[in-house]
Structure formats: structure tokens, C-alpha cells
Amino acid sequence: MAQKKTPGPRRPGWRGWPGRGGGSAAYVEAAPEWRGTTVQVCGMWPFAAGSGTPMIGVPLGRNLISGAAVCCDPISWFQRANLLLNPSAFVLGKPGLGKSTVVRRQALGLAGYGVHPMVFGDLKPDYADLIEALGGQVITLGRGRGYLNPLDTSIATSAAARLTGEARRAIVADAHGRRLNAVSALLTILRGEPPTDREETLLAAALKILDDRHGGTPVMSDLLQVIKDAPEFVRSVALDRGSLSRYRDITEPLESSLTGLLGQGRLGDMFAHPTSVPMHTDRPVCFDVSSIDDSEVLLQAAALLACWTYGFSAVAAAQALADAGLEQQRHYFVILDELWRVLRAGRGLVDRVDALTRLNRQRGVGMAMITHTMSDLLALTAEEDRMKAKGFVERAGMVICGGLPGAEIPDLNQVVAMSHVEQEMITGWSTPPAWDSAAGREAPPPGRGKFLIKVGGRPGIPLQVELTEAELSVNDTNRRWTT
């Protein structure tokens, strides 16, 4: 007969004594986590847990789950951590939640690593104070405040004069292509639709004649005059069949649009005069276009696109000199804010932006493209434009998401796969702020400074951006309301 086992002492479960009055805990709060080196926590080694996020790049803030420090920027994660296929980031989020803040922090940190931030168009301004504090160049543009000549290739021309052979031909061809793209883009914004194939061919021929005729840097009126003069080469590409009257009929719409860029049209004379302040490539740069009112949507889009063209051309020239061993190799962090303003200004502008921004990895250029929501990209009229605009997000090395409304999640999920928890986190950050009755004002929005970093199919990294005291003075994007 088996001996009956004597019961041992009664012990509580993992959550305490069960039952009424036992004190069992239904929820066990996670223990705080701390990060330390093997020297600091040598007594715990090898039982200390890692942070789970790479410690390479610009420190952004704290992980919302573990509390560990999060370091992230597209250039460091591409160059040193080998986590990205290309050094680019696409930033999405509702207004007022800190999109500019997280990009500004990356720009500041990269400046410490020797990378020059380049802000090609600052509409609020969000970056001018930072660039000025870094000892950079702030170029002011606007009605009566400064001019930017779309035909200005002086930086590329100066670089080409120092090069020889294939390198020289390449930089001249690149400058010619960017100049043609800039003029065509301005015409697209002015008309609301792209110029015809014949008109682009005419423009290319006229620019070639202009290069041969003009000794210095031409302006838009010089280009218009070449078309009016009807040189034989331009007439041949116009297919006028030997009839000058037919040539006049063919070029009349183009002449009318170019005249609108000389100060008589909606875009004013900002692009009709020589460039006011040449850009430098050996320091941080910001094009401040904040003087253009938000009601002038077309002028804002034209200013941004002209700044992008001029800036990318200058960067390409600087890198060509570095490749030839004539200048120091420099890396650049290019910031393209308010992307949606350009894309919505006219049909076909997606192609123009795509042609401008395709600086490959070998150029030593990282890039951040910023807009509010996926709807900004998918609200374009033409289906092909919508697909190409969505490609901007698909090709980005990383996607940084702030608070977004729930309606945005299905479109975003087609490009960046997110778990159910991540989707709820992002939509929760878009909740409006509550009224603080004690202070008599609205409390800060719950999603301010909170972002989710997504790289490919990896789990996202949620973080809270933390600003230092030194950054607060150059981080007030609502200065006109608070001063």
C-alpha cells in the first residue's frame, strides 16, 4: 500500500495569494531597465540585457518601451551600421507634432560628425536659426528680398573649368540637364500642366544656342530672346518646314509662358534676375523663403523647386571636384521639407522632383524628405503621378512616422508593413490635446515628440525626442505666436 504524501507548506503564486483578501496582483509593472558598460555592471556580466537598438548615429531620445537611448540618422545607419540600403529618410506626421524637430536634431548631430546640413527651401522658417548658429549660410529669397536665376550654372561652370576630359563633359551635361528640368518645371507650375515634347526640345535647343552666344551667366530674358530671334538650329527642331510664320505659331505659347516668368505673371520677378547670393558648398546652407505668404501656393512651390535645382547642382559640382582630388571630400545632409507643396502644383512635377533627387549613394549625400500624410502623395490627379509619389516612400532607407489619423494607416501599411500594436501607437499619438483646467490652456499634444522608426520589415523603434537647453532657442517654430 502506497504511503500517503504529507502536504508541504502552502506557498503564494507568482502574483501573490489568490482569492478574496489575498492581495493577488492582477498587473505586474515592468521593472525599470538601465543600460551600462561591462565596467559599470561588471558584477552582473554576462546577465545584463542589451538595449535592442543600435548605438550608432545621432542621439534622438529614449525608447518608449525600454527607456534605452536611441541613436539614429540615415547617413550613420547607412555608412557605419550598414542597416540601410541608401542614406535617406522619409518623415510623416501631422502638423505640430515635431517632424521638423526630429530632422533638425539629426542635422545638428550630423554637423558634429562633419556632415553639412543643406536646407533647400525653408518656408516657416524651421531651420534658419539652427544653420546660422552652426556658422552656416542663410540665403533669403522672396518678392523684393532676393533672386534665384534658374539658368545660373556658375558653380558648375567654375568646377568644369578645373576639370578635364570625361569629368568635365559629365558635369557640363549634368548642369545642362538640371537647367532644362528647372525651366520646364517652372512652366509646369505656371500652366498647371507640363510643356509639350516639342516645347522641351525647343528649350533644349535654345539653351544650347544660349551657351554658345552668351559669355557670362544668362537670365530668363536671354532665353526668351533666343527663341524670338529664331536661329536656324532652333527652327530646325521646331519643324517649321521653312516657314517663319509657322515657327511663330509654334513658339507663341512658349514665348507667352516665358514672358510670365519675367515679372509679369503670378510668379513675379524672383526668377528674372541674376542670383542675389551665390551658394557655398563648404558650410551648412539654408534657403529662407519664409517671406512668401501661404496664399501664394504656386510661388512657394516654384521657389522650393528652384532651390532644389540650384542646390543639387552645386552639390554635384562639389562632389565632382572631390572625385578629381581637387577639393576635400564632403558629405551633405539635404533636407526637402513641405514636399507636398511642389507635387500638387502641377501635373507631371513628380517626374521633375524624382529627376532632381536621384543623387546616388556614391555622391556622399544623405536626404530627408518631409510631408504630412500619405494623402498628400496620393491626392495627385494623375494615377501615374500617385504611383511615382508613393515610390518616394518605398525607396527611402527609413521611414519615421509621427502621429497619423487612422484613415492614413491602410495606405501607409501598403508601403511600410506595421503590426497592429504599431498602428495603434501611431493613431494614438494623433489624438488632439486635452484642456488643462488648472493652467487655463491646452495641454501638450500626447504625440508631440513621439516617433516610430521603421526600416524595411524590422519591428519599429518607438522613441520620445528629448531636446537639450541649447536647442530650445533655435527650436521654436511658433515664434510669431509666442513672442
Side-chain angles (χ1 to χ4, degrees):
M1 181 177 180
Q3 186 177 3
K4 187 176 181 180
K5 187 177 181 180
T6 304
R10 187 183 176 199
R11 297 180 183 278
W14 288 103
R15 296 180 180 270
W17 292 103
R20 183 182 180 89
S24 177
Y27 170 75
V28 178
E29 185 176 357
E33 298 182 18
W34 303 90
R35 177 180 174 274
T37 66
T38 54
V39 174
Q40 293 169 323
V41 292
C42 54
M44 297 181 180
W45 182 261
F47 303 108
S51 65
T53 56
M55 298 299 295
I56 298 176
V58 177
L60 292 185
R62 295 282 178 183
N63 190 307
L64 290 174
I65 297 176
S66 66
V70 177
C71 298
C72 171
D73 68 81
I75 293 180
S76 298
W77 278 27
F78 167 76
Q79 183 182 24
R80 293 190 284 149
N82 295 321
L83 294 173
L84 306 182
L85 297 178
N86 65 83
S88 63
F90 202 100
V91 185
L92 293 159
K94 291 180 63 177
L97 297 183
K99 297 188 303 299
S100 300
T101 299
V102 68
V103 176
R104 196 163 38 236
R105 163 60 71 84
Q106 291 182 337
L108 178 60
L110 286 170
Y113 289 136
V115 179
H116 294 312
M118 297 286 180
V119 186
F120 295 154
D122 191 359
L123 284 169
K124 291 185 179 178
D126 285 336
Y127 307 91
D129 289 346
L130 173 63
I131 299 300
E132 189 173 0
L134 291 174
Q137 180 187 26
V138 178
I139 302 173
T140 303
L141 300 174
R143 292 188 185 272
R145 294 175 180 263
Y147 305 103
L148 185 59
N149 179 15
L151 304 182
D152 187 355
T153 59
S154 56
I155 297 178
T157 302
S158 299
R162 302 172 61 185
L163 299 170
T164 58
E166 185 60 33
R168 181 173 185 173
R169 286 190 293 271
I171 194 172
V172 170
D174 179 78
H176 180 83
R178 292 183 185 276
R179 185 174 52 177
L180 175 61
N181 187 65
V183 176
S184 299
L186 291 177
L187 294 180
T188 301
I189 293 174
L190 193 63
R191 296 176 172 182
E193 60 181 14
T196 64
D197 294 341
R198 172 180 279 183
E199 288 177 329
E200 287 210 9
T201 305
L202 277 167
L203 286 173
L207 287 170
K208 182 175 177 58
I209 296 294
L210 191 59
D211 289 337
D212 296 336
R213 286 186 178 182
H214 206 283
T217 300
V219 293
M220 293 298 292
S221 58
D222 298 321
L223 176 62
L224 177 60
Q225 190 60 48
V226 169
I227 296 177
K228 288 181 177 181
D229 291 342
E232 188 62 32
F233 179 62
V234 177
R235 290 183 60 180
S236 66
V237 300
L239 301 177
D240 65 351
R241 312 300 184 192
S243 171
L244 185 59
S245 61
R246 175 180 167 85
Y247 173 82
R248 298 299 183 196
D249 293 338
I250 293 172
T251 59
E252 183 177 357
L254 183 58
E255 290 183 18
S256 176
S257 298
L258 290 175
T259 302
L261 296 174
L262 301 182
Q264 308 303 319
R266 290 173 291 179
L267 301 185
D269 63 346
M270 180 176 166
F271 311 107
H273 302 282
T275 300
S276 303
V277 181
M279 170 185 160
H280 297 289
T281 56
D282 59 349
R283 68 197 68 178
V285 174
C286 174
F287 287 89
D288 183 1
V289 293
S290 60
S291 63
I292 303 176
D293 192 81
D294 286 343
S295 62
E296 298 187 283
V297 178
L298 294 183
L299 181 57
Q300 281 186 338
L304 288 176
L305 206 144
C307 291
W308 297 354
T309 303
Y310 182 79
F312 278 122
S313 179
V315 168
Q319 300 295 45
L321 291 175
D323 292 341
L326 300 176
E327 290 286 348
Q328 175 186 348
Q329 177 65 61
R330 298 183 177 92
H331 293 164
Y332 300 96
F333 181 50
V334 176
I335 300 171
L336 305 182
D337 206 344
E338 302 289 341
L339 179 66
W340 64 274
R341 294 183 185 271
V342 175
L343 299 183
R344 288 190 182 183
R347 182 171 57 86
L349 281 175
V350 177
D351 291 322
R352 308 293 176 189
V353 176
D354 187 52
L356 280 176
T357 56
R358 283 186 179 272
L359 285 176
N360 56 34
R361 299 184 297 253
Q362 288 76 23
R363 290 285 179 90
V365 176
M367 188 162 52
M369 307 177 78
I370 308 171
T371 191
H372 294 151
T373 62
M374 287 295 294
S375 298
D376 293 336
L377 306 179
L378 302 180
L380 305 177
T381 55
E383 176 65 21
E384 60 270 20
D385 284 351
R386 292 195 291 270
M387 293 300 101
K388 292 172 184 176
K390 191 166 69 171
F392 290 149
V393 187
E394 294 173 339
R395 291 194 301 271
M398 68 171 64
V399 178
I400 303 177
C401 298
L404 292 170
E408 293 291 321
I409 299 301
D411 292 331
L412 181 60
N413 208 32
Q414 292 180 6
V415 182
V416 183
M418 291 189 177
S419 67
H420 182 68
V421 174
E422 291 172 343
Q423 295 176 25
E424 288 187 340
M425 186 183 302
I426 290 176
T427 54
W429 291 340
S430 66
T431 305
W435 180 260
D436 187 346
S437 57
R441 57 182 174 83
E442 282 188 346
R448 178 173 292 173
K450 295 182 174 65
F451 294 94
L452 182 71
I453 301 173
K454 291 288 293 184
V455 177
R458 299 187 182 98
I461 303 173
L463 76 148
Q464 171 77 53
V465 177
E466 300 176 357
L467 297 179
T468 63
E469 290 293 333
E471 291 176 278
L472 294 177
S473 61
V474 295
N475 200 70
D476 188 0
T477 58
N478 296 319
R479 185 179 295 103
R480 293 182 178 178
W481 292 97
T482 57
T483 302

